Amino acid sequence: MPRLQTTLGLTIAMLLAGQAEALAAAPAGAGPVLFRSSGPIQADYPLFAGERRRLAELVEAARRGGIQVPVPRDPGGGSTHEQHKRNYMTIYAAGLLYRVTGDGAYADYARRLLLEYARLYPTLGPHPAASVDSPGRLFWQSLNDSVWLMYAVQGYDAIRDSLSDEDRRTIDEQVFRPMAAFLSEGQPQVFELIHNHATWACAAVGMTGYVLRDDELVARALNGLDKSGRTGFLRQIEQLFSPDGYYSEGPYYQRYALEPFVVFAQAIEANEPERRIFAYRDGVLLKAIRATVQLTQGGYLFPLNDALRDKSLKTDELYQAIAIGYAATRDPTFLSIAQWQGHTTLTPEGLLVARDLAEGKAQPFPFASRLFRDGPAGDGGAVTVLRAGIDEHGQTLVVKNSAQGMGHGHFDKLGWMLYDDGAAVVTDYGAVRFLNVESKDGGRYLGENQSWARQTVAHNTLVVNETSHFDGQWKVGERIAPRQLYFAADGPTRVSTAEVEGAYPEVRFRRTLAQLEVDGLAGPLVVDLLRVQGSKPAQYDLPLHYAGHITDVGFPLHSYPAERPVLGKANGYQHLWVDASGTPEAGNATLTWLNGERFYTYRMLPPAGTRIILAESGANDPRFNLRREPVLIERLENATDATFVAVLEPHGCYDPAAETVTDSRSRIAALHHVHTADADLVALELVDGRTLTLAIADDVDAGKAHRAELDGKPLEWSGHVGRFEAPTAGESPRQELAEKRP
């Protein structure tokens, strides 16, 4: 078995000599011999030099504190938990610094740390703070042990040839081999999963196998404990990504799982290039790196499913992924992401990034409207992203028509969120978790994650009878995915249509969300058409979670100043305070709020008898685990079939410095909806006299011709969606765009 080709000497020397392309041609088994003979490396590319300084400061801080390898005791956020995290990063950093600088003190410190682990690890059993069925030994859950192993084994590989035979044997046999055994055959209930926990375990075990020249460890990592290929790393690549590179658990966990996928893949490429791992499954790992970047706004990941809103591309996982992706592709748009991150890795791949960035080779990343199919075969629905611009201030509409997302999935079929002017406007709560905050259950997911954040009412989609999709059972949700019926990304009218049947018994609902650019308006409009078909009377709730402060309400409200009733008893409703409610008429169902320096008006055309509820999260939360966030709920009772129509309009400006306000009122005068035999017509009357009509056919066939009438005027279009505009009141509308299905 060749040694693990993360050995930095040969490859970095080649790169600094201007031989970047020699990376792929480096002979298998080439160790750091050239490095030792050529002396330390001095690379002054700013990004690489900055990373060297950062890691040197990290190791120096650890050295000042001495060797600390405590007996595990605490859950996430506790002192022993955090110390073992610092230790694996120190081992990793010291190994890389040893290769880059030639300073033996780095190798010696990593050696002494690992020898302490060699004394401790054989004495450990299950972690005393474990509360899961997969306890670790160093950490409360074995996932963290896998992370420890994957980082530490890279640092160990970098110093291993500098050790005495005795030290090498001690560390091999008392740290890395038993850890690899524990995380594989010792925990088959994790190792054999198709899940991100198993990805980390397989990557750690496989990389350990390369370092120890152990064919058995590599084989079980790649193809499962029985080597059949039914599980293992290769099977995870096949099952966890769609053909478009979308990861089944959503963007947040795509970010997290990407590191073991690409770091282990890099090790496989170096040791077994004949596998062509980066070409495996039509290059899906490289697609996954690009997809992760696309699934962001302003660098922050869309918080679909269990996700923390503050997680961005500025993470170790993405520093590794961007560097490895660039080394594999030389795609100059990756360089602009690295520039935004302000970090790279102290590896040959990171050096390539730093060098080419310094030489001005970066090009802008091509953010665009995209459809990301879900499921291994791409038939599990989709996440659609509609963008009005490529910068962080451009409007971005995200629609979640994807599959459940396994145990981290939320019950939010056909839900949506919106970013505008650099901020989230229509929001998704994400997860209820304070990562690594010891006082918040050790940083674990909190109970409110299940009782609130995953429930359907916490999202912007249909709720039937105050219950969640699939009755809150994620394994049921895994069997039923929405159908993405239509997607159009080009031009001034961008559209996504999807349908789901089975989220509720005998209920089907279809939703079209369209992003319309209109001359003279502050930003694109979002038109929302939701049609529900049920077999028996039911209560339909349609929430809209928004960010901002209400500035105007178009209909009378009954407020609750003396008391604050709770909206319901279960399925998330127990966490909603009711602030006010009212029953609007067709012409006054509006809510305007201010978010940052922009106003937003949500104009509804609710079914007759619909009541509007204004509420806020935070009820029944004695430990203050929930954020207080507003929500508007359209409630229709005793209904079978129903159609909800709305338009969201950005407008105006609030300038706190100049103390001026412009266009605080909507530019839309009225909203109309007509359902014909085979289409929905949504008409917007603007205050300047123009009328904009969106015609949405029931049939999604791109080639089918349609004809309808609106106020006695004919409309003709081809395909699922047609757009018409009449410049002045009373004038016949002309077709501006006939959408085509791509």
Side-chain angles (χ1 to χ4, degrees), residues 170-232:
T170 297
I171 295 169
D172 282 1
E173 301 304 322
Q174 292 179 223
V175 180
F176 289 101
R177 199 176 299 281
M179 283 194 80
F182 165 65
L183 291 170
S184 54
E185 59 191 2
Q187 286 216 330
Q189 76 275 20
V190 176
F191 195 76
E192 299 282 84
L193 289 173
I194 304 298
H195 188 272
N196 78 78
H197 288 209
T199 306
W200 279 96
C202 287
V205 169
M207 293 175 73
T208 301
Y210 283 131
V211 172
L212 301 184
R213 287 73 165 176
D214 188 325
D215 292 358
E216 166 63 23
L217 289 180
V218 174
R220 72 173 63 158
L222 291 174
N223 291 304
L225 292 175
D226 64 2
K227 325 297 191 304
S228 69
R230 292 181 297 105
T231 61

Side-chain angles (χ1 to χ4, degrees), residues 498-512:
E499 183 176 85
V500 65
E501 185 172 9
Y504 295 105
E506 300 180 41
V507 174
R508 173 194 301 170
F509 56 104
R510 176 187 284 203
R511 192 171 211 171
T512 294

